[in-house]
């Protein structure tokens, strides 16, 4: 293996903004901030969600962020700060680097992911049946 996941995650972490859970919690509810959950739908159902977070599976992010894609989601065209998270912070680091490389501005991710969020007493809700666009 020339470059493993640890290398890729490390490179991403060196290039993206990372918020501690406390910093992220302070931004929850800010109308200029959109939390984005890149976990798999089964994780959302099993573990819960951050209230108001937009569910965007890691496998679709490039297509949902690109306005030229037929799968573009308008939420990514809004002038907001996007804070990505996953279960532990690895997928969200990679996602944040990817969308940053694509040109999406004002992006960050949460150190430790949803696991750290829950452990720190962050707000947790149940998965909605239909995501907002």
């Amino acid at each position: 293996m020339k470059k493993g996941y640890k290398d890729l995650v490390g490179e991403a972490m060196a290039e993206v903004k990372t918020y501690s859970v406390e910093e992220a919690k302070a931004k929850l509810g800010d109308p200029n901030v959109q939390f984005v959950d890149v976990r798999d739908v089964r994780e959302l159902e099993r573990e819960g969600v951050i209230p108001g977070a937009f569910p965007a599976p890691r496998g679709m992010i490039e297509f949902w962020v690109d306005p030229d894609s037929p799968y573009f989601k308008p939420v990514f065209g809004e002038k907001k700060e996007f804070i990505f998270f996953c279960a532990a912070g690895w997928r969200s680091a990679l996602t944040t680097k990817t969308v940053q490389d694509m040109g999406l501005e004002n992006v960050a991710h949460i150190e430790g992911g949803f696991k750290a969020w829950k452990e720190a007493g962050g707000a947790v809700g149940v998965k909605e049946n239909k995501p907002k666009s």
Side-chain angles (χ1 to χ4, degrees), residues 37-46 57-58 91:
D37 193 336
V38 299
R39 295 176 299 149
D40 179 87
V41 66
R42 290 174 295 266
E43 292 173 280
L44 308 182
E45 292 167 351
R46 183 178 58 241
R58 173 71 185 99
R91 287 175 287 174

Side-chain angles (χ1 to χ4, degrees), residues 27-37 39 44 48-56 75-76 78 80-83 85 114 117 123-128 130-133:
K27 292 181 172 278
L28 188 63
D30 182 332
N32 296 312
V33 174
Q34 178 63 62
F35 282 74
V36 181
D37 193 336
R39 295 176 299 149
L44 308 182
V49 299
I50 294 176
F54 183 76
V75 66
F76 293 110
E78 296 176 8
K80 294 186 176 191
E81 177 178 25
F82 295 95
I83 301 176
F85 67 95
F114 189 70
W117 177 272
V124 175
V126 283
K127 178 190 168 299
E128 294 178 18
K130 265 180 127 174
K132 56 186 176 183
S133 60

